[in-house]
Amino acid sequence: MRVAGTHLLVCFLVAFLVRGPVHAAAVRVPTPATFLTRGSTRLLVVVAPLDARARALAGLLEQGAESAAEASDRFDPLRAIDAFDPTAARARFDQQAEGTRLINEAKKALEDLDTAAAGKQFAQAVTAWRQADLTRLDGFIEAQVGKAAGYSVSEENKEAKQEIERALVLAPKTKLSDAQFPPELLKYAETVRQKLKGARGKLSVRTEPPGARVWVDGIYRGVSPVTVEQVPAGQHFVVAGLGGYALATEELGPGEKLITLKSAEQALQLGGLLDRIAREPEGPGRDEAAMQLGTQVLADQVLLLVAKKAADPDKLELTALRLDPKDGHNYAFASGTVAATPADPKPISDFVGALLGLDTPRDGKKPVSHYAGAGTGGSGSGLSGPRLAGIGFLGVAALAGVSWGVFGFSALGQQSLYRSIPQVEAPKSRQAVAQGRTFALAADVSWAVGAAFLVLGVLFAFTPLFGGGSSRAAAKPAPREDDTLREYRRQQEEQQRAAQKPEPAPAPEEKKPEPSPAPSAPPPEEKKPEPAPASPPPEEKKKTPEEERAEKKKRLAEEKAEKKRRAEEEKAEKKRKAEEEKAEKKRKAEEEKQRAAEEKQKAADEKKRAEEEKKQKAEEEKKKLEDDKQRVADEKKKADDDEKARAAETDKRKAEQGDQKKADEEEARRVDEERKRRDAEEEKRRKVKEQEEREQQEQKEKDKPAPKSDEEDLRNF
């Protein structure tokens, strides 16, 4: 058990002591082609809003900062939308690459006059681009126009017109090449453009949460809620995105729409670190959280914008810093009040652009930081409370380790003593066993306590989870801005003064300068003769009370006339606005009526096209059935011919076999007859030979003398 626990403890310590936290695995996110620049430094843009006003403009801050980074020659901006949702960003990047590849292959197929393959590849490219990053539509429009060109080359003008209309609804200024489209289709495209100009609507987009960036047909329109005027009728690509949420893409028509954003893949880690920045917006936790964010997504630098509302409701107080996630060195730092208009990210871009120029050098080898309480010129020497607690926990763990070693060796000694005691000495054996168990239990408790305090010490002293970690360096007691930032601030102040300076109003005719009236009694009720208008009297001449009263009365009359004139103007303005609203309502009603007619016509066209497709499909099925029947008949005829050929071959082989059998039988008969003939001749020769032998025997018998009698034989004996 202790061995397994030791292994687990070692794995835990290795996980927390290596570079970068294990729970925040770094994922290399592909930078979309729409955000590529000439720079090679990956710059992560992170916005940390501190209040509701800043949260409502978080998308504006992201857009302004990313635009400034994109315009620079040094950085490759990494959007928070992609950085903290890496799986979806990779999928969008892969679909974009696949769409680009299919477009190139389709163009090559068109050059080879393979219209079928080109049309299929363009259609696949359109499908791939629908799942890509549609904050810009260049690739999608190219695929859509290419699909129309494929139909045009195949002389399928009806389908080509449909694709042309879809492309022009998204991008009315799309150019069509006369090399790919005949004059008929070019004329149709121009007709569609004129039709789209006359059919205009309004698209209002809200998001949950609010403050997200909104792109309509690849054009940035501001932060939600946003309203786009003069939108052509039809379906449009609406993309909404905000750091910490997944990028949402929908096809919407004119009207009011709500898009609900889903949390990103790493929203939990991002939210925790942003909460830490909110707790310490001017402390070391701010820089440490930014460092962890940069390490998490493998960024080279982090651009952090900490925002809160200003006294002026149209402005935000920003604290911006660009730091190195490896050691927290601040390459640039600035703070100030910036105009924040939802539809205009340029002031934010100008403010951030001043941070993307020169880099602040390090103080020797020490990083420079800008936060409250930082030391001068290097790493801070103070220790935070959690880190002190962690060091204390590590000390307790060290003492527990020493205790574990002492009690463990004591238990081993009692074990050796028990083994050396003879069996007959039972009391000593029991005493050794009891002491050994006590020492072993104390060693186990010391090991468990030491392991627990070691884990707590590592968490509190070396990780930022509980506010620990090394204190980062401080640059100077007070932030010092460089010349570029000071010049930027000077220009901003001049622009503000110029904007606040009132324009001189045109003086009314024959209006005399208003002298400071001296205190006098109220004018009498009777009417006094008014002095004739003349040039201002010399300064040395003092006006009489009657003249002052006359001037005052005249001034009151002029003010009354001015009020009457303004009232008439306001009345005329209200009347004009009412007429405009009435005309607008009438125009909208006509547009709705026209749009309804267009929708009805479109539905009729769709129905007609569906019927034609159904009819064409039926004809194709019928033709396919006839082809199948013809193929079956051909196959049957071929099978019969093959069967006849096989039968003829079999008959021929049988005839040959019969002839061969007859020849074999004839040969066998001939051989048998030849054998019989030889046997007969042999038998004849044998008989002749036997006859000759008999004759010779008979002749010998004849030539043999006659036998003697018995008496002669006895006598001779």
Side-chain angles (χ1 to χ4, degrees):
M1 181 67 69
R2 287 195 297 271
V3 174
T6 303
H7 290 170
L8 290 175
L9 179 61
V10 170
C11 294
F12 178 83
L13 292 177
V14 169
F16 272 92
L17 292 178
V18 293
R19 181 63 176 168
V22 173
H23 64 275
V27 180
R28 194 72 167 179
V29 181
T31 304
T34 56
F35 284 89
L36 286 177
T37 64
R38 288 175 289 175
S40 59
T41 302
R42 290 168 58 86
L43 180 67
L44 173 65
V45 177
V46 179
V47 175
L50 302 183
D51 51 35
R53 172 63 176 169
R55 280 192 292 273
L57 296 174
L60 173 69
L61 298 174
E62 289 180 356
Q63 181 68 21
E66 290 171 6
S67 300
E70 185 179 0
S72 69
D73 296 337
R74 301 181 56 194
F75 300 102
D76 176 9
L78 180 57
R79 303 187 304 181
I81 297 173
D82 300 319
F84 301 106
D85 198 16
T87 303
R90 167 61 66 180
R92 290 193 296 269
F93 181 80
D94 292 342
Q95 290 295 330
Q96 179 176 331
E98 177 68 11
T100 304
R101 182 188 66 80
L102 289 170
I103 288 174
N104 294 332
E105 292 182 359
K107 288 180 179 179
K108 185 177 180 182
L110 274 182
E111 293 176 357
D112 297 338
L113 300 180
D114 189 356
T115 56
K120 182 178 179 181
Q121 289 167 345
F122 274 125
Q124 293 175 352
V126 170
T127 303
W129 270 101
R130 283 181 181 274
Q131 303 172 10
D133 185 355
L134 293 179
T135 54
R136 292 189 181 176
L137 291 185
D138 299 342
F140 180 84
I141 295 299
E142 185 178 4
Q144 193 78 43
V145 173
K147 187 177 179 182
Y151 285 128
S152 173
V153 175
S154 301
E155 296 184 355
E156 300 178 30
N157 289 349
K158 183 177 181 180
E159 290 78 3
K161 289 180 179 180
Q162 294 174 0
E163 301 302 330
I164 289 173
E165 184 174 357
R166 291 171 185 167
L168 293 179
V169 167
L170 300 175
K173 296 182 180 180
T174 301
K175 300 288 186 180
L176 301 182
S177 173
D178 54 1
Q180 296 178 336
F181 296 94
E184 176 188 354
L185 293 181
L186 294 176
K187 184 177 179 181
Y188 175 77
E190 189 62 30
T191 303
V192 171
R193 287 193 186 94
Q194 297 299 327
K195 180 180 176 182
L196 293 175
K197 289 181 180 179
R200 298 286 181 172
K202 181 170 68 173
L203 176 62
S204 298
V205 179
R206 295 182 296 110
T207 63
E208 180 59 38
R213 288 183 280 176
V214 177
W215 292 267
V216 178
D217 294 339
I219 300 175
Y220 174 71
R221 296 293 188 174
V223 296
S224 66
V226 64
T227 300
V228 184
E229 301 285 351
Q230 298 181 345
V231 177
Q235 296 296 307
H236 300 268
F237 285 112
V238 179
V239 182
L242 183 64
Y245 294 89
L247 195 68
T249 303
E250 295 189 15
E251 289 190 64
L252 304 175
E256 295 185 2
K257 309 295 179 181
L258 172 65
I259 300 177
T260 302
L261 303 181
K262 298 180 180 179
S263 297
E265 181 180 351
Q266 299 180 5
L268 185 61
Q269 296 93 323
L270 174 62
L273 294 172
L274 290 181
D275 289 342
R276 186 178 180 191
I277 294 174
R279 290 193 301 268
E280 299 182 67
E282 298 181 358
R286 177 195 66 193
D287 289 19
E288 290 170 1
M291 290 168 57
Q292 190 168 345
L293 287 172
T295 304
Q296 182 174 335
V297 299
L298 297 179
D300 299 320
Q301 295 184 23
V302 178
L303 177 61
L304 176 64
L305 299 178
V306 183
K308 63 180 180 179
K309 65 179 180 180
D312 189 341
D314 294 332
K315 296 182 180 180
L316 288 175
E317 290 186 9
L318 292 183
T319 299
L321 63 150
R322 178 167 55 88
L323 58 78
D324 189 337
K326 297 181 181 64
D327 59 359
H329 171 64
N330 289 186
Y331 289 109
F333 177 88
S335 61
T337 304
V338 182
T341 304
D344 184 14
K346 190 176 185 306
I348 308 296
S349 299
D350 295 339
F351 180 82
V352 174
L355 298 175
L356 304 179
L358 301 177
D359 295 342
T360 301
R362 284 177 168 79
D363 188 3
K365 293 185 179 180
K366 299 177 182 178
V368 173
S369 299
H370 299 82
Y371 53 77
T376 302
S379 54
S381 59
L383 297 177
S384 62
R387 194 175 183 213
L388 287 174
I391 294 174
F393 290 153
L394 292 177
V396 174
L399 292 177
V402 173
S403 176
W404 172 63
V406 171
F407 286 117
F409 281 111
S410 299
L412 292 176
Q414 292 298 320
Q415 182 183 10
S416 301
L417 178 62
Y418 172 78
R419 291 178 177 176
S420 63
I421 296 174
Q423 294 184 359
V424 296
E425 298 181 3
K428 291 185 178 180
S429 298
R430 285 194 295 270
Q431 184 180 2
V433 169
Q435 291 180 355
R437 289 177 177 174
T438 302
F439 288 142
L441 179 61
D444 289 343
V445 172
S446 299
W447 182 91
V449 172
F453 276 96
L454 181 60
V455 171
L456 290 175
V458 170
L459 289 175
F460 277 84
F462 299 107
T463 66
L465 296 178
F466 298 94
S470 59
S471 298
R472 293 299 168 191
K476 300 292 182 285
R480 182 176 61 86
E481 299 177 353
D482 56 15
D483 296 339
T484 306
L485 290 177
R486 284 198 295 272
E487 179 64 21
Y488 167 75
R489 296 196 180 286
R490 186 184 63 79
Q491 294 178 1
Q492 289 291 101
E493 292 175 358
E494 290 180 356
Q495 293 177 2
Q496 292 176 2
R497 285 196 297 269
Q500 294 175 358
K501 186 177 180 181
E503 296 182 0
E509 294 182 0
E510 299 181 357
K511 185 172 182 180
K512 298 171 65 175
E514 299 178 2
S516 300
S520 59
E525 294 181 1
E526 66 272 18
K527 186 177 180 181
K528 297 288 182 179
E530 296 181 3
S535 60
E539 294 182 359
E540 61 273 6
K541 184 178 180 181
K542 188 176 181 180
K543 293 183 179 180
T544 62
E546 290 80 2
E547 292 177 347
E548 291 177 356
R549 285 194 297 271
E551 287 185 3
K552 186 176 181 180
K553 190 173 182 180
K554 183 179 180 181
R555 186 167 62 250
L556 292 174
E558 291 176 353
E559 291 176 357
K560 186 176 180 181
E562 181 67 19
K563 288 180 180 180
K564 184 178 179 181
R565 183 182 62 80
R566 289 180 181 177
E568 292 176 353
E569 290 179 354
E570 291 177 358
K571 185 177 179 181
E573 182 68 17
K574 289 180 180 180
K575 184 178 180 181
R576 184 183 61 80
K577 287 183 178 180
E579 291 176 353
E580 289 179 355
E581 290 176 358
K582 185 177 179 180
E584 181 69 15
K585 289 181 180 179
K586 184 178 179 181
R587 184 181 63 81
K588 287 182 179 180
E590 292 177 354
E591 288 181 356
E592 290 293 336
K593 185 177 179 181
Q594 186 176 359
R595 183 159 55 248
E598 291 175 356
E599 292 293 336
K600 185 177 179 180
Q601 181 64 30
K602 187 176 180 180
D605 294 341
E606 290 289 340
K607 183 178 179 180
K608 185 178 179 181
R609 182 169 66 253
E611 292 176 354
E612 291 178 354
E613 290 178 354
K614 185 177 180 180
K615 183 178 179 181
Q616 183 179 1
K617 188 176 180 180
E619 292 177 354
E620 290 177 354
E621 292 291 338
K622 184 178 179 181
K623 184 178 179 182
K624 184 179 179 182
L625 184 61
E626 293 176 354
D627 293 342
D628 291 342
K629 288 182 179 180
Q630 183 66 31
R631 179 175 54 78
V632 171
D634 294 342
E635 290 178 354
K636 185 176 180 181
K637 182 179 179 182
K638 184 179 179 181
D640 293 341
D641 295 342
D642 293 342
E643 185 66 26
K644 289 180 181 179
R646 282 195 299 271
E649 184 69 21
T650 301
D651 294 341
K652 183 178 179 182
R653 189 164 55 251
K654 286 182 178 179
E656 291 177 352
Q657 290 177 355
D659 295 341
Q660 183 66 30
K661 185 177 181 182
K662 289 180 180 180
D664 292 342
E665 291 176 353
E666 184 68 23
E667 181 66 20
R669 185 181 60 76
R670 187 183 62 76
V671 170
D672 187 53
E673 291 177 354
E674 183 67 22
R675 181 178 58 75
K676 289 180 178 179
R677 186 180 61 76
R678 286 198 303 270
D679 292 344
E681 291 178 353
E682 185 69 26
E683 182 69 21
K684 186 177 181 180
R685 285 195 298 270
R686 186 178 62 76
K687 288 181 178 181
V688 170
K689 187 177 179 180
E690 289 178 354
Q691 183 68 26
E692 290 177 352
E693 288 178 353
R694 280 196 307 270
E695 290 177 353
Q696 289 177 0
Q697 186 69 27
E698 291 176 356
Q699 187 65 33
K700 286 181 180 179
E701 290 290 336
K702 290 179 179 181
D703 293 342
K704 185 177 178 181
K708 294 180 179 182
S709 61
D710 294 336
E711 294 178 358
E712 290 180 353
D713 291 334
L714 183 60
R715 189 172 48 254
N716 291 334
F717 179 74

